[in-house]
Amino acid sequence: MDRVLSVSLGEIALKGLNRKYFEDQLIKQIRRAIKDLGIEKIYKEQGKIYIEGEAANYSQMMNRLKKVFGLVYISPCYRVEKDVDQISLASIEAVKELKDKRKIKTFKVDTNRADKSFPIKSPEFSKKMGGIILRSFDDLNVDVHNPDMYLYIDIKQNAYVYTERIKGYGGLPIGTNGKGLLLLSGGIDSPVAGFMMAKRGIELSCVHYHSYPFTSERAEEKVKDLAHILARYTGKLNIFSVNLLDIQKQINTKCPEDEMTILSRRFMMRIGEKIANDHQMNALITGENLGQVASQTIYGLNVTNQAVNLPVFRPLIGFDKVDIIKIAKDIETYDTSIMPFEDCCTVFLPKHPVTRPKVEDIIQSEEALDVNILIDSAIDNMKTYTIE
Ligand code: ATP
Ligand code: MG
């Protein structure tokens, strides 16, 4: 009886001709996530991926695998030959193990016979195994509607027996949908936006804008902490750190006060686009949301959008704040996000920001600024960090 981990694919299973590519990318991400935990072998068998390694590390491996996008379930399995006696032994063992972990009174057997040459059909095989479990455990009964546990038996090239399915996030493996640049502030929304697009297979990098020395070094550390948490899902992450202070000062002296936020937002977009183009990235990602704050009205978003040509992904656009917070807590960025450090946007915050900016007015205000010189100089002075 060997112990292995099985990984069930979600959407990847629906891919036609590209399926192999997606599976291979997922295997690459699995390797990345657990490479230091003693993998011996990773192989595919009829629709699932199996991992063989140091069994003592399986629970730690599962914790990390939960954060790998593209998989829906992980199960610790017994792998045996397709033989009734061996499957029975493994089933008894698996049930015993789960009974030690939690209280179980009822069970149901769920057989999946992928190998049609196996002579016993699934329902019949489930019944047979059910009988064996009933005879082995006096205190268990069958409940086919609402059992306390399932005993899963997959009959393929080998037979796999397991009782637990630990949920992953689904989505698609990172790297299967190009690269994107996340505008990462220190707030609640942008880390969630990055998480959501990474879950759709985008390889992330981040850009953060600060106003040092008006904003503190600690505020920048906070952003690095957030990137560290995101890196649990994405693996290695680059952060481009850009000082926006000269730009903000020039806007502050040369433009109408109520346009400060929207004008700096357009600079953030433009600088982001330039970095993205320089690094072969295909989209910008923000945590913007319709109506959440004064700068995020439909008019404001329009004017911000028109500063760039790259597509801007705003996965949170239609979410209520409570729902964003729920995700932030689940992905563990929330506690860091709410730490009280100043953001560059707050440095020259107007008392009454425009909520219905017109693109013509904004373009006219920008004529007073050395837009290209400011952008180039901000990028020349940019710092780059790599978060492992
Ligand atoms: P967040 O919680 O992500 O900060 P928010 O609700 O506070 O969002 P804004 O401050 O208006 O909203 O920012 C909208 C979006 O603009 C952010 O989600 C982020 O993508 C980007 N952004 C804002 N400030 C910065 C910054 N200092 N550096 C990088 N991106 C930023
Ligand atoms: Mg913010």
Side-chain angles (χ1 to χ4, degrees):
M1 265 200 290
D2 296 317
R3 282 170 172 273
V4 297
L5 295 179
S6 78
V7 166
S8 316
L9 318 178
E11 254 174 74
I12 298 177
L14 305 173
K15 300 279 172 203
L17 294 175
N18 282 335
R19 179 174 173 148
K20 186 177 179 308
Y21 166 73
F22 281 89
E23 286 175 347
D24 290 347
Q25 291 299 311
L26 179 57
I27 289 176
K28 204 169 124 191
Q29 293 298 323
I30 288 173
R31 266 188 209 288
R32 170 197 51 78
I34 58 174
K35 58 174 182 269
D36 57 324
L37 295 178
I39 310 170
E40 272 152 32
K41 193 172 162 192
I42 300 183
Y43 63 95
K44 300 187 234 179
E45 192 177 313
Q46 287 166 297
K48 287 192 186 177
I49 292 169
Y50 293 90
I51 302 163
E52 251 180 276
E54 203 66 58
N57 290 344
Y58 281 171
S59 79
Q60 205 183 344
M61 281 188 193
M62 286 193 289
N63 274 331
R64 293 210 205 148
L65 291 172
K66 273 194 266 185
K67 298 191 165 93
V68 172
F69 298 133
L71 59 84
V72 285
Y73 290 115
I74 313 150
S75 299
C77 305
Y78 283 109
R79 181 184 59 199
V80 292
E81 275 166 38
K82 270 177 295 195
D83 163 89
V84 176
D85 291 338
Q86 289 211 33
I87 297 174
S88 308
L89 282 177
S91 297
I92 292 169
E93 200 53 40
V95 171
K96 210 186 279 168
E97 253 169 49
L98 196 67
K99 274 173 101 278
D100 286 343
K101 281 198 215 168
R102 58 181 166 91
K103 197 163 168 56
I104 289 156
K105 288 189 185 150
T106 57
F107 73 98
K108 176 182 177 176
V109 183
D110 184 342
T111 306
N112 184 343
R113 187 181 61 128
D115 174 6
K116 300 298 179 204
S117 73
F118 187 73
I120 311 171
K121 289 194 172 145
S122 299
E124 217 179 302
F125 195 79
S126 291
K127 225 183 249 169
K128 194 180 180 71
M129 282 300 134
I132 289 170
I133 298 299
L134 284 173
R135 284 194 290 282
S136 314
F137 299 92
D138 295 341
D139 54 345
L140 286 184
N141 285 307
V142 172
D143 180 347
V144 291
H145 299 296
N146 195 13
D148 296 336
M149 71 161 278
Y150 280 88
L151 173 65
Y152 299 99
I153 301 170
D154 293 351
I155 299 173
K156 308 175 157 183
Q157 227 156 297
N158 296 284
Y160 296 90
V161 177
Y162 53 100
T163 59
E164 288 181 281
R165 297 207 298 185
I166 291 140
K167 237 171 135 41
Y169 282 103
L172 294 169
I174 288 196
T176 56
N177 257 325
K179 297 182 186 179
L181 183 65
L182 170 67
L183 278 69
L184 180 63
S185 71
I188 294 170
D189 301 331
S190 43
V192 174
F195 169 85
M196 288 183 68
M197 295 321 300
K199 183 154 102 72
R200 294 310 302 165
I202 289 190
E203 185 183 327
L204 291 186
S205 298
C206 306
V207 59
H208 174 67
Y209 301 99
H210 62 85
S211 316
Y212 187 80
F214 282 38
T215 53
S216 64
E217 267 173 42
R218 190 61 195 87
E220 207 178 340
E221 283 304 311
K222 174 184 171 179
V223 173
K224 284 190 205 160
D225 290 345
L226 284 172
H228 260 290
I229 300 171
L230 280 179
R232 293 177 197 160
Y233 302 89
T234 62
K236 204 177 79 175
L237 257 187
N238 283 330
I239 309 186
F240 302 97
S241 177
V242 177
N243 194 331
L244 212 61
L245 187 57
D246 286 342
I247 294 174
Q248 290 176 307
K249 279 183 178 161
Q250 210 180 96
I251 298 173
N252 194 42
T253 50
K254 296 187 173 168
C255 301
E257 192 219 354
D258 63 351
E259 292 177 1
M260 181 73 209
T261 310
I262 193 98
L263 287 166
S264 3
R265 206 40 61 76
R266 278 166 66 90
F267 273 96
M268 289 187 189
M269 289 292 190
R270 288 191 180 104
I271 295 170
E273 182 177 57
K274 201 145 198 218
I275 298 171
N277 286 335
D278 287 348
H279 293 83
Q280 291 78 47
M281 297 181 221
N282 320 95
L284 300 176
I285 301 162
T286 77
E288 286 166 314
N289 169 275
L290 189 60
Q292 193 185 86
V293 290
S295 58
Q296 296 178 26
T297 60
I298 196 165
Y299 316 100
L301 290 173
N302 237 303
V303 173
T304 310
N305 211 46
Q306 288 186 38
V308 290
N309 291 313
L310 270 187
V312 182
F313 295 158
R314 302 177 172 88
L316 307 185
I317 196 74
F319 278 51
D320 286 2
K321 192 80 188 188
V322 284
D323 297 321
I324 299 171
I325 289 176
K326 221 181 268 168
I327 303 174
K329 286 183 175 166
D330 179 50
I331 66 171
E332 298 169 331
T333 51
Y334 183 76
D335 290 338
T336 305
S337 287
I338 58 171
M339 291 193 330
F341 294 105
E342 67 290 343
D343 183 42
C344 75
C345 308
T346 56
V347 173
F348 297 96
L349 200 63
K351 275 190 219 73
H352 301 288
V354 277
T355 51
R356 280 178 173 256
K358 289 210 182 72
V359 79
E360 313 84 81
D361 299 345
I362 299 298
I363 288 173
Q364 200 181 348
S365 303
E366 281 174 353
E367 273 164 21
L369 307 170
D370 312 311
V371 174
N372 289 327
I373 296 174
L374 285 169
I375 290 178
D376 289 343
S377 134
I379 289 183
D380 284 345
N381 294 314
M382 165 174 97
K383 285 190 190 132
T384 309
Y385 307 98
T386 301
I387 306 281
E388 295 291 341

